[in-house]
Amino acid sequence: MPEVIVTTRSGEQQAIPFTPGTTLMQAITEGGIYELQALCGGVCSCATCHVHIDAGHSAELPTVSEDEDGLLAGSEHRSERSRLSCQIRLTDALDGLRVTIAAEDE
Ligand code: FES
């Protein structure tokens, strides 16, 4: 089964298996990491599923939509590697993707 490697806010790393077709947000929360609030349930309207994606899989990631970009713009922890994890649908090509949960906005 493909997996993503998630680094939590405390720096712990965990490999989480995923079923292709689920979103990165679902994989992380269903994998037992509860740091993402994902308050809107994955409809791109809250930004509480913010993660930083490590380099290496950029070509396989979906492009950032205008809505996602707008929400990320409001985060004090945005970087060039920021994404909303609910907007990334996982595929086999993303096996081994490494992500870090972004710090929570105040
Ligand atoms: S869960 Fe709300 S924007 Fe991703």
Side-chain angles (χ1 to χ4, degrees):
M1 199 176 216
E3 59 185 26
V4 291
I5 315 299
V6 180
T7 301
T8 65
R9 292 185 180 125
S10 60
E12 287 173 42
Q13 279 198 343
Q14 192 173 322
I16 296 179
F18 67 86
T19 304
T22 59
T23 66
L24 177 58
M25 180 273 276
Q26 287 174 308
I28 292 171
T29 55
E30 289 168 10
I33 294 177
Y34 304 113
E35 293 182 343
L36 292 180
Q37 292 183 52
L39 290 174
C40 76
V43 296
C44 198
S45 65
C46 75
T48 61
C49 64
H50 184 181
V51 297
H52 298 291
I53 309 274
D54 284 9
H57 282 85
S58 318
E60 289 91 18
L61 294 173
T63 53
V64 180
S65 70
E66 211 171 295
D67 285 347
E68 181 179 358
D69 188 51
L71 284 168
L72 285 169
S75 171
E76 58 196 287
H77 303 290
R78 184 176 196 177
S79 76
E80 71 279 0
R81 301 206 185 286
S82 286
R83 292 301 302 264
L84 295 180
S85 57
C86 71
Q87 298 304 297
I88 296 175
R89 198 156 293 280
L90 294 170
T91 64
D92 284 321
L94 291 171
D95 183 24
L97 180 74
R98 290 179 175 272
V99 306
T100 301
I101 311 281
E104 214 166 355
D105 287 317
E106 297 295 318

